[in-house]
Structure formats: C-alpha cells, structure tokens
C-alpha cells in the first residue's frame, strides 16, 4: 500500500473525491477531523460508504480510523463500521501491543456477531502520538496476527511533549520527531510489518512532499499517508519501483531459484547474497508481483 488518503467521514464531497484520487487506500476518519457533534453522522456515513464502495471492482482498500481507546467513543465507532467489513481499523494514540490486543478483542466480538471470519479485519496503529507510547514500541512484536502495518504521528506528540514545533525552517523534523520516526521504523521491522510514513500537512508544497517521500522510501518505509488528493500521485510515483528495479529484483530471484544451493552469487559483476535476495523478494511483493 503506497498511498493512504485521509478522508473526514462526515464529508460526502470528500468521500466521493477520495474514490477518484487514485489512492491505494482511503482512511475514513472518525477521529480528529470530525467535530464531537458530528461523530454519530460520520459513523453512519462511513458505514454507508463501506457498504456501497466495497463491492466496486476498482475500489481502494478501506480503513476506518476510530477514536482512541480512552475516549469512550471506540465502542460506538466499531459498532457502526465492523459489520461493513473494512479492510482495517486504524487505532490512534496506540500505546503498545496490549492496546492492539485490546481493540483486537473488541473487533473479534463484532466479527463473530456479524458472521465475519475471525481475524479478517486488520489493525493499523499510530504508534508515536504520546510520550508514553514511545517507550512501548518494542511491544508490537508478536502482539497480534491482526497487525497490518504501523504508522506514526508528529502532531499529537508535539502537543504531548510541549514542543513549539516539530519541524525546522527548511522542513526537516527536529531531533525528537526524527527519533520518533526512526524508532517507529525499527519497531515495524521488528514486528515484521510495513512501516507507513506520516502525513505532510502543507498540501500545496509538492516539492517538500516529494523530498520526504524519497527519504522515506530510501529508509525502508513502504508508503505514506496523505491528507489531500493532490498528494496521492506524488506518493504513488515515489513508492512504485521503477521497471529496471523490478527487472533487477526478478533477476536476483531467478538466479537463486536456479542455484538453490548457492549462498552467494555474482550478477553483473556484483556480489549478491541472502540480504539481496530478501530485499528483491520484498520489492516484488510490494509491487504486487
Ligand atoms: N479527501 C478527499 N477529497 C478532498 C480531501 C481529502 N482529504 N481534501 C480535499 N479534498 C477535495 C475538496 O473537497 C475539493 O473538492 P471540490 O473542489 O470538488 O469540492 C478538492 O479536493 C480540492 O480541495 P482544496 O480546496 O484544495 O482543499 P480544501 O480547502 O477543500 O481542504 C483540507 C483542505 C485540509 C481541509 C482537506 O484537505 C482535508 O479535509 N484533509 C483531510 C483532513 C484529515 O482527514 N485530517 C485527519 C488526519 S491528519
Ligand atoms: Mg491526531
């Protein structure tokens, strides 16, 4: 999943536009982009959208961001949407593996009530939104078979630690937020799931977005979240492997397939061993090949 576009679930206009955006996934938001009074309406609209859209042949993956576990709103959010079988539930303000297990149980109950296969609905936690969460990053490993990927957030974390800003003038993250990003990347790899980069809020600044996407892909992220349809094409482009990268990966996989006993091989004058094979396999898997 390269691009995941946030869509406030109480906006019919944006839901419609989201479908045309080309995003690999839409995140129907019931949390921060929806005012308290609009939550019931947003739940209904998210459920209706899931029902109508799921069956479309080229529908993107549909993920619902529910409200955090300590808000008292999560149960009603799940009651409204689980029966419509979203691909995943995004859990904001997640504080470690136990929170994933906690919401996993709530999802499991509703899957059972609605004749949905156990474990069908995955979980995508946002794992760096509080200072406390930073100390729980290692606990996602082995926490749940529902864990789909992990992502991080810099806005709520800034509020939690009292930071005046999370970016330097030229757009790079300040050290505390670069640390959050980087630790989250290790946490996702340790848990064996994809790392998804956080949003870039200045949606008119496509050059900084592109720079951030290139850096994210370089460091191992599989994709990036978006807040505006204009960001989707840039994200998709950067996170799509180029044809020559695909050809190269296929060459490596083929070389090991024809030499299953080999630990190391030479291809085009370069040494290729197991880490290269794993990398090539991952690139092909992410390209859907
Ligand atoms: N999903 C789908 N469509 C969107 C969209 C989104 N996230 N953001 C904007 N659009 C649509 C607008 O409705 C508009 O369509 P229209 O002109 O046909 O009505 C078009 O894209 C262009 O939008 P634009 O005028 O450039 O921006 P805006 O001022 O309408 O919206 C935001 C700006 C930031 C309010 C909007 O992008 C948004 O709501 N983003 C998501 C916020 C969110 O979910 N935050 C939580 C996660 S951090
Ligand atoms: Mg938030």
């Amino acid at each position: 999943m390269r691009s995941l576009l946030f869509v406030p679930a109480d906006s019919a206009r944006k839901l419609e536009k989201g479908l045309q955006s080309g995003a690999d996934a839409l995140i129907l938001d019931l949390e921060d982009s929806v005012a308290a009074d609009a939550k019931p309406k947003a739940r209904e609209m998210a459920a209706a959208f899931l029902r109508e859209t799921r069956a479309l042949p080229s529908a993107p993956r549909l993920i619902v961001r529910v409200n955090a576990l300590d808000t008292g709103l999560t149960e009603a959010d799940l009651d409204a949407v689980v029966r419509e079988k979203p691909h995943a539930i995004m859990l904001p303000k997640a504080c470690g593996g136990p929170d994933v297990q906690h919401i996993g149980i709530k999802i499991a109950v509703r899957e059972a009530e609605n004749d949905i296969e156990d474990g069908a609905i995955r979980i995508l936690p946002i794992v760096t939104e509080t200072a406390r969460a930073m100390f729980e990053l290692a606990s996602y490993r082995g926490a749940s078979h529902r864990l789909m990927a992990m992502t991080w957030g810099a806005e709520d974390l800034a509020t939690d630690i009292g930071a005046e800003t999370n970016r330097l003038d030229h757009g790079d993250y300040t050290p505390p937020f670069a640390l959050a990003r980087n630790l989250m990347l290790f946490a996702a790899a340790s848990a064996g799931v994809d790392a998804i980069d956080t949003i870039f809020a200045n949606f008119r600044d496509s050059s900084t977005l592109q720079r951030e996407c290139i850096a994210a892909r370089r460091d191992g992220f599989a994709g990036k979240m978006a807040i505006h349809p204009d960001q989707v094409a840039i994200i998709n482009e950067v996170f799509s492997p180029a044809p020559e990268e695909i050809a190269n990966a296929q060459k490596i996989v083929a070389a090991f397939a024809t030499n299953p006993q080999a630990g190391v091989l030479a291809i085009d004058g370069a040494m290729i061993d197991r880490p290269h094979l794993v990398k090539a396999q991952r690139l092909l898997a992410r390209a859907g090949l």
Side-chain angles (χ1 to χ4, degrees):
M1 238 178 270
R2 302 162 300 178
S3 52
L4 299 86
L5 173 65
F6 271 109
V7 186
D10 62 341
S11 167
R13 178 98 198 132
K14 288 177 187 166
L15 288 167
E16 182 57 37
K17 284 247 144 180
L19 269 188
Q20 299 155 17
S21 69
D24 291 341
L26 300 182
I27 305 168
L28 312 183
D29 191 23
L30 300 176
E31 200 216 13
D32 286 347
S33 71
V34 177
D37 288 351
K39 302 274 184 199
K41 181 84 194 139
R43 288 182 191 119
E44 273 175 35
M45 289 176 67
F49 186 79
L50 285 164
R51 197 158 46 239
E52 288 152 19
T53 309
R54 221 182 31 210
L56 300 178
S58 60
R61 293 268 165 89
L62 299 174
I63 298 169
V64 179
R65 180 164 77 168
V66 297
N67 290 278
L69 286 169
D70 62 359
T71 58
L73 299 172
T74 327
E75 301 277 345
D77 292 344
L78 293 173
D79 281 340
V81 299
V82 166
R83 70 175 114 89
E84 304 301 342
K85 207 175 167 192
H87 180 72
I89 296 294
M90 170 175 271
L91 177 65
K93 280 98 182 171
C95 200
D99 274 3
V100 170
Q101 289 161 350
H102 184 166
I103 197 162
I105 290 164
K106 293 183 191 297
I107 294 169
V109 170
R110 288 163 178 85
E111 283 173 341
E113 285 169 353
N114 291 285
D115 263 338
I116 297 169
E117 181 198 341
D118 177 52
I121 298 172
R122 315 290 302 277
I123 299 171
L124 172 53
I126 313 181
V127 301
T128 65
E129 292 196 293
T130 63
R132 190 159 79 84
M134 292 302 302
F135 294 95
E136 307 296 334
L137 285 172
S139 66
Y140 291 94
R141 181 185 166 89
S144 170
H145 57 282
R146 292 181 190 268
L147 192 66
M148 172 193 118
M150 282 160 69
T151 189
W152 72 290
E155 305 309 324
D156 291 270
L157 183 59
T159 306
D160 196 41
I161 67 175
E164 290 170 357
T165 179
N166 51 30
R167 297 208 186 237
L168 300 165
D169 287 344
H170 58 279
D172 285 357
Y173 282 108
T174 58
F177 297 90
L179 179 74
R181 169 196 187 271
N182 296 343
L183 280 178
M184 178 265 153
L185 187 62
F186 290 118
S190 162
V193 297
D194 280 348
I196 306 293
D197 198 15
T198 194
I199 60 145
F200 177 61
N202 299 340
F203 56 87
R204 306 268 182 241
D205 179 358
S206 51
S207 62
T208 305
L209 172 68
Q210 189 187 37
R211 192 153 53 84
E212 204 160 284
C213 289
I214 290 169
R217 186 183 157 184
R218 175 200 66 204
D219 290 347
F221 285 93
K224 188 172 177 70
M225 299 190 293
I227 53 142
H228 191 283
D230 288 354
Q231 298 183 315
V232 170
I234 296 169
I235 296 174
N236 283 349
E237 210 231 302
V238 174
F239 286 96
S240 300
E244 55 273 21
E245 290 174 299
I246 292 175
N248 190 43
Q250 284 169 332
K251 210 170 182 179
I252 293 170
V253 170
F256 278 98
T258 41
N259 298 281
Q261 307 303 329
V264 63
L265 294 166
I267 299 180
D268 301 334
M271 183 204 79
I272 304 292
D273 60 5
R274 199 181 138 66
H276 298 97
L277 174 62
V278 172
K279 221 165 115 183
Q281 287 167 330
R282 181 181 301 144
L283 185 139
L284 294 175
R286 281 183 182 170
L289 297 168

